[in-house]
Amino acid sequence: MACRGLCCCCSPPSPGALNEDNARFLLLAVLIVLYMLCGAAVFSALELPRERETQQRWQARLENFSQRHNLSLADLRQFLWEYEVAYVAGIRVQDVRPRWDFPGAFYFVGTVVSTIGFGMTTPATIAGKLFLIFYGLVGCAGTILFFNLFLERLITIIAYVMKSCHERQLRRKGVLPQDTRQTSRNPEVDSLAGWKPSVYYVMLILCLASLIISCCASAMYTPIEGWSYFDSLYFCFVAFSTIGFGDLVSSQNAQYDSQGLYRFGNFIFILMGVCCIYSLFNVISIVIKQSINWILKKLECKFCQRCQRKLFRSRRNAVMPGTIPSQRNMSIESDGVIESDTDGRRMSGEMISMKDLLTSNKVSLAIMQKQLSDTANGCPRQTTSVSRQNGFAGGVGALGIMNNRLAETSTDR
């Protein structure tokens, strides 16, 4: 098993040592920072020249406009600043739908609870901003719960379908009998009962589903909104992933052809897209976690080899001491105690020291405290070495939902 601290061949780690979970967390934080630095460098190289060119062009047009109409630049900039304030309040030059009628407000709360937050509509009053804080707190939590429940059912359906296909394939090859109930002792039937789909196949299925939904939605947005097909695909990813930049927002014009049908289709596509992309992100997070575990395993193996070499060099010319009686060891997790010569002397009637007596009492007290804690919690936490090894012993949120449902997160793997 991989080492808990820096090396598996060293002594047991102290309470302040770096364990696997903390090492995984720190490595992920470092990788995210590096990923952000690389992304910033790429986007800066791609977008900075365009930004400077746009600023120069706008400055030239602003100066020409002020000279042509005999306006000072200060007055013109003040007017543009007032328009920016009006733009935040929902005022547009072109004809757009009302922002705060009931359909517009419903679209706004949809972007709030789904955490998309396009930004084209924001509350302007103090009462509206205060209500948004409490409304979003409950709404976002409820929507995340809905996404997690959707993910649980989606993974269950995908696992059932893939297991049925796997069983049909085995029957077609003749490996699995036609009636599995009559041959329940068949090892193939027993292995099929615990079969789970691979996370990579689930990720591929979710990728295809997200791509199909995005392509169909883009085919709807292109003729109705007047966007290019690539811009429609870009909007689908930004909206479905809940990034929500707000540069492209659907269903904002005042009038559409078949307006009711289009708004209903827009709602359905965004709902399905957000659910699929959310599920895809969580499955990809499992793959990232596996990659981090692989990196840690490689690093730990290198540390182990170095420590073994140092240990061999330090003990190569040393005189090994004689056999030392083993002492009593305690494992709170397994409630097990390794017996030593102290127990043998106590059972034979030989006198034991006060130190041995206190040690044995401490061991019994620790075991009793753990049993009382497990009884109070209702169900004691079972932690196996396999679950610790694959890095999916626990789980919070979506990771907890997918725990033991896929092959790579199974504790009996």
Side-chain angles (χ1 to χ4, degrees):
M1 181 180 176
C3 55
R4 297 291 177 187
L6 291 176
C7 177
C8 60
C9 60
C10 299
S11 59
S14 61
L18 185 65
N19 57 20
E20 289 181 359
D21 293 334
N22 291 334
R24 188 182 299 112
F25 173 76
L26 292 177
L27 180 59
L28 179 60
V30 171
L31 292 178
I32 289 177
V33 172
L34 292 177
Y35 190 77
M36 293 174 64
L37 292 175
C38 294
V42 172
F43 281 113
S44 179
L46 293 176
E47 300 295 334
L48 184 60
R50 179 67 178 273
E51 180 187 9
R52 292 176 177 174
E53 180 183 354
T54 304
Q55 287 180 350
Q56 294 176 359
R57 189 185 306 116
W58 169 251
Q59 187 65 28
R61 293 187 61 180
L62 193 64
E63 293 177 356
N64 292 333
F65 185 85
S66 63
Q67 293 177 1
R68 184 185 308 171
H69 297 278
N70 196 16
L71 296 174
S72 64
L73 287 176
D75 294 339
L76 188 56
R77 292 182 187 276
Q78 179 66 25
F79 177 77
L80 293 176
W81 181 81
E82 292 177 357
Y83 174 73
E84 289 180 356
V85 175
Y87 186 89
V88 173
I91 305 301
R92 300 294 185 272
V93 176
Q94 66 274 17
D95 189 14
V96 295
R97 60 182 293 182
R99 299 295 182 185
W100 293 109
D101 60 347
F102 187 80
F106 184 80
Y107 193 91
F108 167 73
V109 297
T111 61
V112 171
V113 299
S114 62
T115 69
I116 296 177
F118 286 123
M120 78 290 179
T121 303
T122 55
T125 61
I126 297 178
K129 293 177 181 179
L130 185 62
F131 178 73
L132 175 63
I133 295 174
F134 296 98
Y135 183 84
L137 184 66
V138 178
C140 292
T143 306
I144 290 175
L145 176 61
F146 171 79
F147 288 157
N148 287 333
L149 296 178
F150 175 85
L151 174 63
E152 181 181 5
R153 281 149 181 79
L154 182 62
I155 295 297
T156 302
I157 293 174
I158 293 177
Y160 176 79
V161 173
M162 293 185 65
K163 184 177 180 180
S164 301
C165 295
H166 180 68
E167 182 178 356
R168 185 178 301 176
Q169 185 178 6
L170 292 179
R171 288 179 178 176
R172 187 177 302 173
K173 292 180 179 179
V175 179
L176 191 68
Q178 295 296 329
D179 192 0
T180 58
R181 293 175 295 180
Q182 298 178 358
T183 58
S184 58
R185 296 182 179 180
N186 193 335
E188 295 293 338
V189 178
D190 296 338
S191 63
L192 183 62
W195 184 87
K196 296 180 179 64
S198 174
V199 66
Y200 301 101
Y201 290 111
V202 176
M203 183 175 64
L204 179 61
I205 293 174
L206 290 175
C207 282
L208 292 177
S210 302
L211 183 62
I212 291 174
I213 294 175
S214 299
C215 291
C216 294
S218 300
M220 180 185 70
Y221 292 136
T222 299
I224 297 180
E225 296 289 347
W227 302 335
S228 64
Y229 193 79
F230 179 79
D231 287 339
S232 299
L233 286 174
Y234 163 78
F235 165 76
C236 288
F237 176 77
V238 170
F240 297 166
S241 60
T242 68
I243 296 176
F245 289 126
D247 51 349
L248 294 176
V249 182
S250 61
S251 186
Q252 294 302 303
N253 294 335
Q255 294 294 329
Y256 290 100
D257 296 334
S258 303
Q259 181 168 307
L261 183 61
Y262 169 64
R263 289 182 176 177
F264 177 76
N266 179 51
F267 173 78
I268 295 299
F269 274 125
I270 290 180
L271 178 63
M272 294 175 58
V274 169
C275 291
C276 287
I277 292 293
Y278 176 83
S279 303
L280 179 61
F281 283 170
N282 285 281
V283 173
I284 292 176
S285 67
I286 295 180
V287 178
I288 295 176
K289 193 172 185 179
Q290 284 184 328
S291 302
I292 293 175
N293 292 335
W294 180 81
I295 295 174
L296 288 177
K297 185 177 180 181
K298 293 297 182 180
L299 293 176
E300 289 165 352
C301 290
K302 291 182 179 180
F303 280 117
C304 287
Q305 292 176 359
R306 293 178 182 178
C307 290
Q308 288 175 358
R309 292 174 184 175
K310 293 180 180 180
L311 188 64
F312 176 76
R313 291 174 183 176
S314 61
R315 293 187 178 182
R316 182 171 52 185
N317 299 324
V319 179
M320 301 302 293
T323 303
I324 301 176
S326 60
Q327 296 181 353
R328 188 186 191 110
N329 294 327
M330 177 189 66
S331 177
I332 298 299
E333 291 293 336
S334 59
D335 296 343
V337 180
I338 302 175
E339 301 295 334
S340 65
D341 59 341
T342 303
D343 295 323
R345 288 184 284 136
R346 183 172 59 184
M347 295 298 295
S348 62
E350 182 180 352
M351 294 184 64
I352 61 175
S353 64
M354 183 61 67
K355 179 179 180 182
D356 294 334
L357 179 62
L358 293 177
T359 302
S360 62
N361 290 335
K362 287 181 180 179
V363 172
S364 302
L365 180 61
I367 295 176
M368 183 178 66
Q369 288 176 348
K370 180 180 182 299
Q371 292 175 350
L372 290 176
S373 176
D374 292 340
T375 305
N377 292 331
C379 53
R381 179 181 178 183
Q382 301 293 335
T383 305
T384 61
S385 59
V386 179
S387 63
R388 289 180 180 272
Q389 185 175 2
N390 59 21
F392 292 96
V396 179
L399 288 178
I401 289 174
M402 290 184 292
N403 189 24
N404 209 27
R405 291 179 180 269
L406 301 177
E408 286 75 10
T409 62
S410 178
T411 56
D412 55 357
R413 188 166 168 254

